[in-house]
């Protein structure tokens, strides 16, 4: 894939460059760089502010910190971690996210394999119904699910959000995995069946190992989705057990409660972004493949 | 705390182990059956866990919400269409509805328009991967973090003091402002919508860019050799070929815009005339004393708004399957 696109991209660029006139090239670069700046500056500003003393943040814009005399500090980070239990909620976010990522991927893998390689009545109808569920707004499920979870005595527990995120994540997970598994070569499974391999063997020894790229995409997606979620935790954990709240909910409540003390907020927001940004920067390829896999063929 | 760590570890290892055990165990049971019935029974065991989750967390709750929307605040008595009558008469909900329409129109237009522009522009430069990563980056962070980031962009100070918000400082350079971006109507709605555009443009760009790379270079070159200028190439070749992909991206963005909640919740909490349907539902549910009937009715309105796009999604999927 990458081997093919790389040289293609360069030939494209050179072909256009030869044809393009000087001025239009300058405008092109100006527009692209302008957009890149517009997209980077907001995050950059927050990043710079998170290392500035409180008084400076209130008195002057973040860009002033770029010129000497430099005065950077880690105060905001240490204060927000100590005073607002953000350290605890970072752990909570991890404890929520990891199981809520592993469970749906696993459940979806079995279902996707059945939809792709087993014959049964209503197979397509059921699968199409699942694709339809992709767009059901979370909001239309909140009240009944909250009552179910409260009735089962697990509202406020991590278990409640693990289960809820599994349910909410499944339509996309089944859809993505089924599309990929359905594209695996038929001959492989046929010859395995002739050799007497059971469906379980075919699944564990063939389908799963061959689906590693799409499993990676899906894992990243579900991870980011759960880590960045506000609503599910806010409602299924929030009112009952504030000690279990993840970072997103804490930071959202800091926004309203801190009022003037916005300098803490910069550090808090950055702490919530660290993990997604690291995941994104290192695994961007899989992330992109997950998005395009659902919409563009090939 | 320690207990939680153990529970999470048990969930991460235990649940997959139980699932694998379940599949292996049912396989044993199936093997005992005659050959013909094995193939018929097996798939149902494999999809059962997924179906169970979908029924419990999506299908049943949605149907239940529909029923609750015809009941009173505590879900005790049926009140007919009262909650819907309230919805179409209340000024607050109508304002939320109007704002949701603004979100759908402008966020979708902005995301797809900018996504297309960027996809086409970066196709012509050498630092394409870097440019794409930059535009794509906001998609990885939470709406909450984006809300915080942009509340600093939009920050307002009294004109007598230096502006610390990036935007007000910028427009101050040319003698304008300062503007209360998040409070002044109608600017604040567009300021919030732009946060959504900032987050989702990368999504549209990535998909449209993949579609663009799928257009054969020979076709474009042939047009250029025949004397077509860049605008004509875009207008007559690239745009028509990308139209189906743009349509797909648009439906996704429309649904995202309708569901938008977190940005508004974080930045204005629906104040200053920025409420939307998704947030109104939350407010009805959790502003004491809490009205589950009205909240459910709002949720059903949201669902009704989304259903046409769901139908489009399904039809597109069917067509895709037909050529598969």
């Amino acid at each position: 894939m990458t081997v093919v696109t790389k040289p293609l991209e360069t030939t494209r660029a050179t072909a256009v460059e030869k044809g393009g006139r000087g001025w239009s090239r300058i405008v092109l670069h100006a527009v692209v760089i302008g957009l890149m700046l517009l997209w980077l500056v907001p995050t950059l500003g927050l990043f710079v502010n998170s290392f500035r003393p409180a008084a400076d943040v209130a008195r002057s814009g973040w860009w002033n910190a770029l010129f000497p005399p430099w005065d950077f500090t880690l105060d905001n980070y240490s204060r927000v971690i100590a005073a607002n239990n953000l350290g605890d909620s970072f752990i909570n976010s991890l404890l929520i996210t990891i199981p809520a990522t592993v469970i749906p991927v696993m459940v979806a893998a079995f279902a996707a394999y059945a939809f792709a390689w087993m014959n049964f009545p209503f197979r397509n109808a059921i699968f199409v119904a699942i694709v339809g569920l992709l767009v059901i707004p979370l909001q239309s499920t909140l009240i009944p699910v909250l009552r179910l979870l409260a009735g089962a005595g697990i509202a406020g527990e991590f278990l409640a959000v693990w289960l809820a995120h599994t349910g909410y994540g499944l339509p996309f997970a089944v859809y993505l995995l089924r599309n990929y598994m359905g594209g695996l070569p038929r001959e492989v499974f046929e010859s395995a069946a002739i050799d007497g391999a059971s469906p379980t063997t075919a699944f564990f020894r063939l389908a799963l190992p061959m689906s590693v790229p799409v499993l990676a995409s899906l894992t990243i997606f579900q991870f980011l989705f759960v880590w960045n979620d506000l609503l599910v935790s806010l409602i299924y954990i929030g009112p009952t057990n504030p000690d279990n709240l993840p970072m997103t909910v804490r930071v959202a409540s800091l926004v309203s409660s801190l009022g003037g003390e916005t300098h803490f907020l910069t550090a808090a927001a950055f702490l919530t972004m660290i993990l997604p940004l690291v995941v994104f920067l290192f695994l961007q390829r899989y992330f992109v493949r997950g998005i395009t896999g659902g919409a563009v063929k090939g | 705390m320690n207990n939680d760590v153990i529970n999470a570890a048990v969930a991460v290892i235990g649940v997959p182990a139980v699932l694998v055990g379940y599949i292996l165990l049912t396989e044993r049971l199936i093997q005992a059956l005659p050959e013909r019935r094995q193939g018929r029974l097996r798939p149902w065991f494999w999809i059962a866990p997924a179906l169970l989750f979908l029924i419990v967390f999506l299908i049943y709750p949605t149907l239940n919400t529909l029923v609750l929307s015809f009941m009173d605040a505590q879900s005790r008595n049926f009140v007919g269409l009262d909650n819907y009558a309230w919805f179409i008469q209340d000024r607050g909900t109508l304002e939320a509805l109007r704002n949701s329409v603004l979100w759908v129109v402008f966020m979708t237009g902005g995301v797809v328009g900018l996504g297309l522009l960027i996809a086409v522009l970066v196709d012509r430069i050498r630092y394409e991967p870097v440019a794409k990563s930059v535009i794509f980056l906001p998609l990885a962070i939470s709406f909450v973090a984006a809300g915080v980031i942009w509340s600093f962009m939009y920050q307002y100070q009294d004109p007598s003091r230096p502006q610390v918000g990036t935007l007000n400082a910028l427009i101050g350079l040319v003698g304008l402002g300062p503007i209360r971006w998040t409070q002044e109507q109608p600017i604040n709605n567009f300021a919030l919508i732009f946060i959504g555009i900032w987050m989702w443009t990368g999504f549209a760009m990535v998909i449209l860019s993949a579609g663009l790379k799928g257009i054969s270079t020979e076709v474009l070159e042939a047009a250029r050799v025949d004397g077509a200028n860049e605008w004509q190439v875009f207008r007559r070749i690239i745009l028509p070929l990308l139209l189906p992909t743009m349509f797909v991206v648009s439906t996704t963005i429309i649904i995202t815009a309708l569901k938008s909640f977190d940005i508004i919740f974080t930045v204005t909490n629906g104040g200053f005339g920025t409420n939307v349907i998704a947030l109104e539902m939350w407010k009805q549910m959790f502003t004491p004393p809490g009205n589950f009937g009205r909240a459910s009715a709002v949720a059903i309105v949201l669902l009704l708004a989304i259903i046409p796009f769901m139908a489009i999604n399904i039809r597109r999927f069917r067509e895709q399957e037909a050529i598969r």
Side-chain angles (χ1 to χ4, degrees):
Chain A
M1 180 73 199
T2 38
V3 186
V4 185
T5 37
K6 263 283 158 57
L8 193 78
E9 272 166 32
T10 31
T11 49
R12 246 168 204 262
T14 43
V16 178
E17 256 165 59
K18 274 180 204 153
R21 289 169 303 277
W23 271 108
S24 60
R25 295 296 300 172
I26 293 170
V27 172
L28 171 67
H29 287 299
V31 172
V32 172
I33 290 168
L35 284 166
M36 283 168 71
L37 279 179
L38 177 60
W39 251 252
L40 267 184
V41 159
T43 318
L44 186 71
L46 184 85
F47 184 68
V48 172
N49 259 347
S50 73
F51 292 104
R52 298 175 72 203
D56 288 7
V57 173
R59 207 173 44 226
S60 61
W62 59 270
W63 51 91
N64 291 293
L66 301 178
F67 307 102
W70 288 296
D71 184 13
F72 292 116
T73 166
L74 285 171
D75 262 13
N76 300 326
Y77 285 92
S78 55
R79 287 281 293 280
V80 85
I81 291 171
N84 296 293
N85 294 327
L86 221 65
D88 281 355
S89 60
F90 187 91
I91 307 278
N92 285 345
S93 279
L94 276 179
L95 292 178
I96 288 172
T97 307
I98 296 171
T101 304
V102 173
I103 299 172
V105 171
M106 202 63 197
V107 172
F110 286 114
Y113 181 76
F115 282 119
W117 292 107
M118 294 179 187
N119 275 314
F120 56 99
F122 308 115
R123 178 177 77 162
N124 284 331
I126 298 173
F127 185 65
V128 165
I130 292 177
V131 174
L133 289 179
L134 263 174
V135 302
I136 295 256
L138 270 181
Q139 281 88 352
S140 74
T141 69
L142 291 177
I143 297 171
V145 171
L146 178 60
R147 286 182 175 170
L148 271 182
L149 295 172
I154 56 171
E157 303 291 327
F158 290 141
L159 180 61
V161 270
W162 295 339
L163 295 176
H165 275 305
T166 302
Y168 296 145
L170 268 178
F172 179 70
V174 174
Y175 172 68
L176 192 69
L177 289 185
R178 144 74 173 70
N179 277 359
Y180 190 90
M181 285 184 177
L184 295 176
R186 178 174 288 277
E187 304 79 41
V188 174
F189 294 100
E190 276 170 358
S191 58
I194 291 167
D195 291 345
S198 73
T200 41
T201 319
F203 174 77
F204 287 112
R205 296 280 168 81
L206 297 172
L208 270 195
M210 289 166 86
S211 304
V212 165
V214 75
L215 289 170
S217 299
L218 178 62
T219 306
I220 292 166
F221 256 90
Q222 182 72 9
F223 179 86
L224 289 177
F225 177 73
V226 177
W227 182 272
N228 289 338
D229 158 76
L230 170 71
L231 196 55
V232 173
S233 296
L234 185 64
I235 290 176
Y236 300 152
I237 291 184
T240 346
N241 197 350
D243 286 345
N244 280 352
L245 286 174
M247 287 189 100
T248 42
V249 183
R250 277 255 192 271
V251 173
S253 67
L254 277 183
V255 180
S256 43
S257 64
L258 279 179
E261 294 189 83
T262 40
H263 51 281
F264 289 137
L265 210 53
T266 56
F270 235 90
L271 285 175
T272 68
M273 287 162 55
I274 288 174
L275 208 53
L277 286 184
V278 169
V279 167
F280 169 79
L281 289 175
F282 284 95
L283 303 169
Q284 193 181 355
R285 206 156 44 97
Y286 294 101
F287 194 39
V288 169
R289 192 185 293 159
I291 288 181
T292 51
V296 183
K297 305 245 307 168
Chain B
M1 187 87 248
N2 262 333
N3 223 351
D4 288 334
V5 176
I6 294 167
N7 284 341
V10 168
V12 169
I13 301 161
V15 173
V18 168
L19 265 172
V20 171
Y22 160 82
I23 290 291
L24 293 178
L25 187 74
T26 52
E27 183 63 27
R28 274 278 171 79
L29 294 175
I30 293 169
Q31 296 279 354
L33 294 170
E35 187 102 16
R36 259 192 56 231
R37 301 196 28 211
Q38 286 184 9
R40 264 204 226 149
L41 210 56
R42 187 179 293 114
W44 296 104
F45 281 113
W46 284 57
I47 64 170
L51 285 187
L52 188 73
F53 272 105
L54 291 173
I55 289 168
V56 172
F57 287 97
L58 284 167
I59 298 170
Y60 155 76
T62 304
L63 296 176
N64 191 230
T65 299
L66 182 64
V67 175
L68 294 183
S69 73
F70 298 112
M71 298 175 83
D72 63 10
Q74 275 78 46
S75 316
R76 291 214 185 88
N77 306 302
F78 277 94
V79 293
L81 289 170
D82 279 10
N83 294 319
Y84 293 93
W86 160 80
F87 186 94
I88 55 170
Q89 280 163 13
D90 188 80
R91 285 189 55 187
T93 54
L94 290 180
E95 185 190 77
L97 193 62
R98 181 206 65 192
N99 291 341
S100 283
V101 172
L102 286 181
W103 271 84
V104 166
V105 173
F106 289 96
M107 182 172 159
T108 311
V111 165
V112 178
L114 273 174
L116 179 67
L117 176 76
I118 294 169
V120 171
L121 291 185
V122 296
D123 196 40
R124 294 144 193 272
I125 57 175
R126 286 175 196 283
Y127 48 95
E128 173 174 8
V130 181
K132 276 168 137 179
S133 294
V134 167
I135 305 292
F136 196 53
L137 193 77
L139 205 60
I141 64 176
S142 66
F143 285 103
V144 173
V148 174
I149 287 175
W150 280 87
S151 54
F152 278 87
M153 286 293 282
Y154 291 145
Q155 212 173 355
Y156 168 87
Q157 298 279 356
D158 192 79
S160 61
R161 300 176 52 197
Q163 296 298 319
V164 300
T166 313
L167 272 182
N168 275 331
L170 265 182
I171 61 171
L173 288 178
V174 289
L176 293 172
I179 297 171
R180 291 182 174 84
W181 297 99
T182 56
Q183 293 171 24
E184 225 163 89
Q185 298 183 47
I187 265 187
N188 57 0
N189 270 309
F190 295 102
L192 290 174
I193 292 170
F194 190 79
I195 305 178
I197 295 177
W198 179 75
M199 290 196 74
W200 279 85
T201 295
F203 174 84
M205 175 203 69
V206 162
I207 295 178
L208 291 171
S209 178
L212 191 63
K213 304 274 184 236
I215 299 175
S216 95
T217 338
E218 284 107 51
V219 175
L220 300 178
E221 281 308 308
R224 287 188 185 114
V225 170
D226 287 347
N229 62 35
E230 285 307 304
W231 169 249
Q232 286 169 327
V233 169
F234 172 75
R235 180 74 187 71
R236 307 273 169 185
I237 302 174
I238 295 178
L239 197 61
L241 285 173
L242 280 184
L243 221 48
T245 317
M246 285 171 70
F247 188 70
V248 175
V249 177
S250 299
T251 56
T252 312
I253 304 297
I254 288 170
I255 293 167
T256 311
L258 277 171
K259 292 200 238 177
S260 57
F261 164 86
D262 317 43
I263 293 176
I264 306 137
F265 179 81
T266 314
V267 181
T268 63
N269 198 12
F272 313 105
T274 57
N275 205 7
V276 291
I277 310 181
L279 184 60
E280 176 64 20
M281 192 239 155
W282 188 85
K283 289 189 165 186
Q284 286 301 330
M285 200 169 155
F286 285 109
T287 314
N291 190 325
F292 280 15
R294 285 182 177 178
S296 300
V298 177
I300 294 300
V301 171
L302 181 63
L303 182 63
L304 288 177
I306 285 177
I307 278 179
F309 302 104
M310 175 160 130
I312 292 171
N313 237 19
I314 289 180
R315 210 181 55 197
R316 187 183 63 84
F317 174 75
R318 282 236 157 104
E319 287 167 1
Q320 216 179 44
E321 283 302 282
I323 36 174
R324 210 182 172 83

